[in-house]
Structure formats: structure tokens, C-alpha cells
Short mmCIF file of all heavy atoms in Angstrom, two decimals:
data_model
loop_
_atom_site.label_atom_id
_atom_site.label_comp_id
_atom_site.label_asym_id
_atom_site.label_seq_id
_atom_site.Cartn_x
_atom_site.Cartn_y
_atom_site.Cartn_z
N LEU A 1 109.62 130.61 182.05
CA LEU A 1 108.85 129.92 181.03
C LEU A 1 108.97 128.41 181.16
O LEU A 1 107.98 127.68 181.00
CB LEU A 1 109.30 130.37 179.64
CG LEU A 1 108.84 131.78 179.25
CD1 LEU A 1 109.65 132.32 178.08
CD2 LEU A 1 107.36 131.78 178.91
N ILE A 2 110.16 127.92 181.46
CA ILE A 2 110.34 126.48 181.67
C ILE A 2 109.58 126.03 182.91
O ILE A 2 109.01 124.94 182.95
CB ILE A 2 111.84 126.14 181.76
CG1 ILE A 2 112.48 126.28 180.37
CG2 ILE A 2 112.05 124.73 182.30
CD1 ILE A 2 113.98 126.09 180.36
N GLN A 3 109.54 126.88 183.92
CA GLN A 3 108.83 126.53 185.16
C GLN A 3 107.33 126.40 184.93
O GLN A 3 106.69 125.48 185.47
CB GLN A 3 109.10 127.58 186.24
CG GLN A 3 108.36 127.31 187.55
CD GLN A 3 108.53 128.44 188.56
OE1 GLN A 3 108.95 129.55 188.22
NE2 GLN A 3 108.20 128.16 189.81
N PHE A 4 106.73 127.31 184.15
CA PHE A 4 105.28 127.38 184.03
C PHE A 4 104.72 126.79 182.74
O PHE A 4 103.50 126.70 182.60
CB PHE A 4 104.82 128.83 184.14
CG PHE A 4 104.92 129.41 185.52
CD1 PHE A 4 105.87 130.36 185.84
CD2 PHE A 4 104.05 128.99 186.52
CE1 PHE A 4 105.96 130.90 187.11
CE2 PHE A 4 104.12 129.52 187.80
CZ PHE A 4 105.09 130.46 188.10
N SER A 5 105.57 126.38 181.79
CA SER A 5 105.07 125.98 180.48
C SER A 5 105.53 124.58 180.10
O SER A 5 106.62 124.15 180.48
CB SER A 5 105.57 126.95 179.40
OG SER A 5 105.31 128.29 179.76
N SER A 6 104.69 123.89 179.33
CA SER A 6 105.06 122.59 178.79
C SER A 6 104.77 122.57 177.30
O SER A 6 104.06 123.44 176.77
CB SER A 6 104.28 121.46 179.49
OG SER A 6 102.90 121.61 179.26
N VAL A 7 105.33 121.58 176.63
CA VAL A 7 105.13 121.42 175.19
C VAL A 7 104.17 120.26 174.97
O VAL A 7 104.46 119.14 175.39
CB VAL A 7 106.46 121.14 174.47
CG1 VAL A 7 106.23 121.00 172.97
CG2 VAL A 7 107.47 122.24 174.75
N PRO A 8 103.02 120.50 174.34
CA PRO A 8 102.07 119.41 174.11
C PRO A 8 102.52 118.53 172.94
O PRO A 8 101.91 118.50 171.88
CB PRO A 8 100.76 120.14 173.79
CG PRO A 8 101.21 121.43 173.19
CD PRO A 8 102.49 121.79 173.88
N SER A 9 103.62 117.82 173.13
CA SER A 9 104.21 117.05 172.03
C SER A 9 103.86 115.58 172.14
O SER A 9 103.67 115.03 173.23
CB SER A 9 105.74 117.21 172.04
OG SER A 9 106.28 116.80 173.27
N PHE A 10 103.76 114.95 170.99
CA PHE A 10 103.50 113.51 170.96
C PHE A 10 104.80 112.75 171.24
O PHE A 10 105.89 113.31 171.17
CB PHE A 10 102.89 113.08 169.63
CG PHE A 10 103.65 113.51 168.40
CD1 PHE A 10 104.82 112.87 168.01
CD2 PHE A 10 103.20 114.57 167.63
CE1 PHE A 10 105.51 113.25 166.88
CE2 PHE A 10 103.88 114.97 166.49
CZ PHE A 10 105.04 114.31 166.12
N ALA A 11 104.67 111.48 171.58
CA ALA A 11 105.83 110.66 171.90
C ALA A 11 106.72 110.50 170.68
O ALA A 11 106.24 110.42 169.54
CB ALA A 11 105.38 109.30 172.41
N ALA A 12 108.02 110.44 170.93
CA ALA A 12 108.98 110.31 169.83
C ALA A 12 108.77 109.02 169.05
O ALA A 12 109.09 108.95 167.85
CB ALA A 12 110.41 110.36 170.39
N ASP A 13 108.22 107.99 169.69
CA ASP A 13 108.03 106.71 169.01
C ASP A 13 106.60 106.52 168.48
O ASP A 13 106.22 105.42 168.08
CB ASP A 13 108.39 105.55 169.93
CG ASP A 13 107.55 105.53 171.22
OD1 ASP A 13 106.77 106.49 171.43
OD2 ASP A 13 107.70 104.58 172.00
N ALA A 14 105.80 107.61 168.49
CA ALA A 14 104.42 107.50 167.99
C ALA A 14 104.44 107.22 166.49
O ALA A 14 105.23 107.80 165.74
CB ALA A 14 103.65 108.78 168.28
N SER A 15 103.57 106.33 166.03
CA SER A 15 103.54 105.97 164.61
C SER A 15 102.84 107.06 163.81
O SER A 15 101.97 107.77 164.31
CB SER A 15 102.81 104.65 164.41
OG SER A 15 101.42 104.81 164.65
N HIS A 16 103.23 107.18 162.53
CA HIS A 16 102.58 108.15 161.65
C HIS A 16 101.10 107.83 161.50
O HIS A 16 100.26 108.73 161.39
CB HIS A 16 103.26 108.14 160.28
CG HIS A 16 104.65 108.70 160.31
ND1 HIS A 16 105.57 108.46 159.33
CD2 HIS A 16 105.27 109.49 161.22
CE1 HIS A 16 106.70 109.08 159.62
NE2 HIS A 16 106.54 109.71 160.76
N LEU A 17 100.76 106.53 161.52
CA LEU A 17 99.37 106.13 161.36
C LEU A 17 98.52 106.62 162.52
O LEU A 17 97.45 107.22 162.31
CB LEU A 17 99.27 104.61 161.25
CG LEU A 17 97.84 104.04 161.17
CD1 LEU A 17 97.12 104.58 159.95
CD2 LEU A 17 97.88 102.52 161.15
N SER A 18 98.99 106.42 163.75
CA SER A 18 98.20 106.84 164.91
C SER A 18 98.05 108.36 164.95
O SER A 18 96.99 108.87 165.31
CB SER A 18 98.85 106.35 166.21
OG SER A 18 100.13 106.94 166.39
N LEU A 19 99.10 109.09 164.56
CA LEU A 19 99.02 110.55 164.55
C LEU A 19 98.02 111.04 163.50
O LEU A 19 97.20 111.92 163.76
CB LEU A 19 100.40 111.15 164.27
CG LEU A 19 101.43 110.96 165.38
CD1 LEU A 19 102.81 111.41 164.90
CD2 LEU A 19 101.03 111.72 166.63
N SER A 20 98.07 110.47 162.30
CA SER A 20 97.16 110.90 161.24
C SER A 20 95.72 110.56 161.59
O SER A 20 94.80 111.33 161.31
CB SER A 20 97.55 110.25 159.91
OG SER A 20 97.46 108.84 160.00
N GLN A 21 95.50 109.41 162.25
CA GLN A 21 94.14 109.05 162.64
C GLN A 21 93.58 110.00 163.69
O GLN A 21 92.42 110.40 163.61
CB GLN A 21 94.12 107.61 163.18
CG GLN A 21 94.28 106.55 162.10
CD GLN A 21 94.37 105.15 162.68
OE1 GLN A 21 94.76 104.97 163.83
NE2 GLN A 21 94.03 104.16 161.88
N SER A 22 94.41 110.39 164.65
CA SER A 22 93.93 111.31 165.69
C SER A 22 93.60 112.67 165.11
O SER A 22 92.63 113.31 165.51
CB SER A 22 94.97 111.43 166.81
OG SER A 22 96.14 112.06 166.32
N LEU A 23 94.40 113.13 164.14
CA LEU A 23 94.11 114.42 163.51
C LEU A 23 92.85 114.34 162.66
O LEU A 23 92.03 115.26 162.65
CB LEU A 23 95.30 114.85 162.65
CG LEU A 23 96.56 115.26 163.42
CD1 LEU A 23 97.71 115.51 162.46
CD2 LEU A 23 96.31 116.49 164.28
N GLU A 24 92.67 113.23 161.94
CA GLU A 24 91.50 113.06 161.10
C GLU A 24 90.23 113.04 161.93
O GLU A 24 89.19 113.57 161.54
CB GLU A 24 91.63 111.77 160.30
CG GLU A 24 90.52 111.58 159.27
CD GLU A 24 90.72 110.32 158.46
OE1 GLU A 24 91.03 109.27 159.06
OE2 GLU A 24 90.59 110.38 157.22
N GLU A 25 90.32 112.42 163.13
CA GLU A 25 89.16 112.34 164.00
C GLU A 25 89.04 113.54 164.92
O GLU A 25 88.15 113.61 165.76
CB GLU A 25 89.28 111.06 164.84
CG GLU A 25 89.22 109.79 164.00
CD GLU A 25 89.67 108.56 164.78
OE1 GLU A 25 89.93 108.71 166.00
OE2 GLU A 25 89.76 107.48 164.19
N GLN A 26 89.97 114.51 164.75
CA GLN A 26 89.98 115.75 165.52
C GLN A 26 90.01 115.48 167.03
O GLN A 26 89.32 116.13 167.82
CB GLN A 26 88.76 116.62 165.17
CG GLN A 26 88.80 117.11 163.74
CD GLN A 26 87.69 118.07 163.43
OE1 GLN A 26 86.61 118.03 164.01
NE2 GLN A 26 87.94 118.98 162.51
N GLU A 27 90.82 114.50 167.40
CA GLU A 27 90.99 114.20 168.81
C GLU A 27 92.21 114.97 169.33
O GLU A 27 93.34 114.50 169.27
CB GLU A 27 91.18 112.70 169.03
CG GLU A 27 89.94 111.88 168.70
CD GLU A 27 90.18 110.40 168.90
OE1 GLU A 27 91.33 110.03 169.23
OE2 GLU A 27 89.23 109.63 168.72
N ILE A 28 91.99 116.16 169.79
CA ILE A 28 93.07 117.01 170.27
C ILE A 28 93.14 116.92 171.78
O ILE A 28 92.20 117.28 172.48
CB ILE A 28 92.85 118.49 169.85
CG1 ILE A 28 92.69 118.59 168.33
CG2 ILE A 28 93.99 119.35 170.34
CD1 ILE A 28 93.89 118.15 167.55
N ASP A 29 94.25 116.38 172.29
CA ASP A 29 94.39 116.32 173.74
C ASP A 29 95.64 117.08 174.14
O ASP A 29 95.73 118.27 173.93
CB ASP A 29 94.40 114.87 174.22
CG ASP A 29 95.38 114.01 173.41
OD1 ASP A 29 96.29 114.59 172.78
OD2 ASP A 29 95.23 112.78 173.43
N ASP A 30 96.60 116.40 174.74
CA ASP A 30 97.79 117.09 175.20
C ASP A 30 99.01 116.70 174.37
O ASP A 30 100.13 116.84 174.82
CB ASP A 30 98.04 116.80 176.68
CG ASP A 30 98.26 115.31 176.94
OD1 ASP A 30 97.88 114.51 176.06
OD2 ASP A 30 98.82 114.96 177.99
N SER A 31 98.82 116.23 173.14
CA SER A 31 99.96 115.78 172.35
C SER A 31 99.72 115.99 170.86
O SER A 31 99.12 115.15 170.20
CB SER A 31 100.23 114.30 172.63
OG SER A 31 99.07 113.52 172.43
N TRP A 32 100.17 117.13 170.34
CA TRP A 32 100.00 117.41 168.93
C TRP A 32 101.14 118.22 168.33
O TRP A 32 101.04 118.72 167.23
CB TRP A 32 98.66 118.11 168.68
CG TRP A 32 98.26 119.10 169.73
CD1 TRP A 32 97.47 118.85 170.80
CD2 TRP A 32 98.62 120.50 169.84
NE1 TRP A 32 97.31 119.99 171.57
CE2 TRP A 32 97.99 121.01 171.00
CE3 TRP A 32 99.40 121.34 169.08
CZ2 TRP A 32 98.13 122.33 171.41
CZ3 TRP A 32 99.54 122.66 169.48
CH2 TRP A 32 98.91 123.14 170.63
N GLN A 33 102.25 118.33 169.04
CA GLN A 33 103.44 118.96 168.48
C GLN A 33 104.55 117.93 168.33
O GLN A 33 104.56 116.90 169.00
CB GLN A 33 103.94 120.10 169.38
CG GLN A 33 103.07 121.33 169.40
CD GLN A 33 103.80 122.50 170.05
OE1 GLN A 33 105.01 122.63 169.95
NE2 GLN A 33 103.05 123.35 170.72
N ARG A 34 105.50 118.25 167.46
CA ARG A 34 106.67 117.39 167.32
C ARG A 34 107.49 117.41 168.61
O ARG A 34 107.55 118.43 169.29
CB ARG A 34 107.57 117.89 166.17
CG ARG A 34 106.94 117.79 164.80
CD ARG A 34 107.91 118.25 163.74
NE ARG A 34 108.32 119.63 163.96
CZ ARG A 34 107.65 120.69 163.53
NH1 ARG A 34 106.53 120.53 162.86
NH2 ARG A 34 108.09 121.91 163.75
N PRO A 35 108.15 116.29 168.94
CA PRO A 35 109.04 116.31 170.11
C PRO A 35 110.17 117.31 169.91
O PRO A 35 110.55 117.64 168.77
CB PRO A 35 109.59 114.88 170.15
CG PRO A 35 108.58 114.06 169.40
CD PRO A 35 108.04 114.97 168.33
N LEU A 36 110.71 117.81 171.01
CA LEU A 36 111.80 118.78 170.93
C LEU A 36 113.02 118.16 170.27
O LEU A 36 113.36 117.01 170.50
CB LEU A 36 112.17 119.25 172.34
CG LEU A 36 111.18 120.22 173.00
CD1 LEU A 36 111.40 120.27 174.50
CD2 LEU A 36 111.33 121.61 172.40
N ASP A 37 113.69 118.97 169.46
CA ASP A 37 114.94 118.57 168.80
C ASP A 37 116.09 118.97 169.72
O ASP A 37 116.46 120.15 169.80
CB ASP A 37 115.05 119.29 167.45
CG ASP A 37 116.30 118.93 166.68
OD1 ASP A 37 117.25 118.39 167.28
OD2 ASP A 37 116.34 119.22 165.47
N THR A 38 116.66 118.01 170.45
CA THR A 38 117.68 118.33 171.46
C THR A 38 118.93 118.92 170.83
O THR A 38 119.58 119.78 171.44
CB THR A 38 118.03 117.08 172.27
OG1 THR A 38 118.41 116.02 171.38
CG2 THR A 38 116.84 116.62 173.09
N GLU A 39 119.28 118.50 169.63
CA GLU A 39 120.47 119.07 168.97
C GLU A 39 120.26 120.55 168.67
O GLU A 39 121.18 121.35 168.80
CB GLU A 39 120.78 118.30 167.69
CG GLU A 39 121.26 116.87 167.92
CD GLU A 39 121.63 116.18 166.64
OE1 GLU A 39 121.52 116.82 165.56
OE2 GLU A 39 122.04 115.00 166.69
N ARG A 40 119.06 120.90 168.27
CA ARG A 40 118.75 122.31 167.99
C ARG A 40 118.83 123.14 169.26
O ARG A 40 119.32 124.28 169.25
CB ARG A 40 117.37 122.41 167.36
CG ARG A 40 116.97 123.82 166.95
CD ARG A 40 115.61 123.79 166.27
NE ARG A 40 115.13 125.13 165.99
CZ ARG A 40 113.90 125.40 165.57
NH1 ARG A 40 113.04 124.41 165.39
NH2 ARG A 40 113.53 126.64 165.34
N ILE A 41 118.35 122.58 170.37
CA ILE A 41 118.42 123.28 171.65
C ILE A 41 119.86 123.57 172.03
O ILE A 41 120.21 124.69 172.43
CB ILE A 41 117.72 122.44 172.75
CG1 ILE A 41 116.22 122.41 172.51
CG2 ILE A 41 118.03 123.01 174.14
CD1 ILE A 41 115.48 121.44 173.41
N VAL A 42 120.73 122.58 171.89
CA VAL A 42 122.15 122.76 172.24
C VAL A 42 122.79 123.79 171.31
O VAL A 42 123.61 124.62 171.76
CB VAL A 42 122.89 121.41 172.16
CG1 VAL A 42 124.39 121.62 172.32
CG2 VAL A 42 122.38 120.46 173.23
N ARG A 43 122.42 123.80 170.03
CA ARG A 43 122.98 124.79 169.09
C ARG A 43 122.59 126.21 169.52
O ARG A 43 123.41 127.14 169.44
CB ARG A 43 122.49 124.52 167.67
CG ARG A 43 123.14 123.34 166.98
CD ARG A 43 122.97 123.41 165.47
NE ARG A 43 121.57 123.49 165.07
CZ ARG A 43 120.81 122.43 164.83
NH1 ARG A 43 121.30 121.21 164.97
NH2 ARG A 43 119.55 122.59 164.44
N ILE A 44 121.34 126.40 169.95
CA ILE A 44 120.90 127.73 170.39
C ILE A 44 121.70 128.16 171.61
O ILE A 44 122.18 129.29 171.69
CB ILE A 44 119.40 127.72 170.70
CG1 ILE A 44 118.60 127.54 169.39
CG2 ILE A 44 118.97 129.01 171.41
CD1 ILE A 44 117.11 127.36 169.61
#
């Protein structure tokens, strides 16, 4: 799964304003999920 799959996540430093504007304008590209939580990964 790691070999063949990626997470369409936005940049960790993306502003809330830019994210809300892209959603409002329905501009869906390759970045619309939250970045991975590395602490959660290590806990798993």
C-alpha cells in the first residue's frame, strides 16, 4: 500500500484562508486531506 498509494494532503503550512477558498471554489486537485499525524503513526 505504501508502494502504490499516496495521501492527497495539503501542505502543513497551508493557511486556513487558502484552504477554505479552494473548497468554496470547488478546486479539487491533489491536496485536500490533512497532513499525516506522525505521532499517531508511531503510536500505532
Side-chain angles (χ1 to χ4, degrees):
L1 286 163
I2 288 174
Q3 178 186 15
F4 287 109
S5 310
S6 62
V7 181
S9 58
F10 52 76
D13 59 354
S15 70
H16 291 161
L17 176 60
S18 64
L19 292 171
S20 61
Q21 286 175 336
S22 66
L23 290 174
E24 186 177 46
E25 295 166 5
Q26 295 186 331
E27 294 179 356
I28 303 298
D29 49 20
D30 61 342
S31 54
W32 37 267
Q33 289 193 32
R34 294 182 300 275
L36 286 162
D37 181 343
T38 54
E39 292 183 0
R40 183 177 174 190
I41 291 171
V42 172
R43 285 199 303 270
I44 292 173

